[in-house]
Amino acid sequence: AHAIARRVLARLRNDASGPGFGASIGIAMAPAGSLLTAEQLIRTADMAMYRAKEAGGDRVADETGASSALPGR
């Protein structure tokens, strides 16, 4: 999930159609058979997104607290 999100961030930054911009992306995952509801996953992803913003934005964060940013920002 992090690899895909980082590709999205890179694409947003390097969009040739205009000035690039950044985004903060939160990731939440549930193992197969999990009893988590869609609402719980969305809430968890939302909290991760705000952690990404607090860490400086233009990065990806997940529910474990791990985050990553693209070089150069």
Side-chain angles (χ1 to χ4, degrees):
H2 272 266
I4 292 168
R6 288 170 56 86
R7 286 187 6 221
V8 169
L9 288 178
R11 187 67 166 245
L12 290 173
R13 184 189 296 175
N14 299 317
D15 186 357
S17 67
F21 56 94
S24 297
I25 299 174
I27 297 172
M29 296 180 281
S34 172
L35 298 177
L36 291 173
T37 66
E39 184 176 292
Q40 290 169 316
L41 283 171
I42 291 169
R43 191 173 339 157
T44 301
D46 192 52
M47 290 187 298
M49 179 197 62
Y50 281 103
R51 276 196 305 278
K53 287 179 178 290
E54 289 171 3
D58 200 27
R59 65 184 56 235
V60 179
D62 64 28
E63 74 272 14
T64 68
S67 72
S68 59
L70 294 175
R73 272 255 166 128

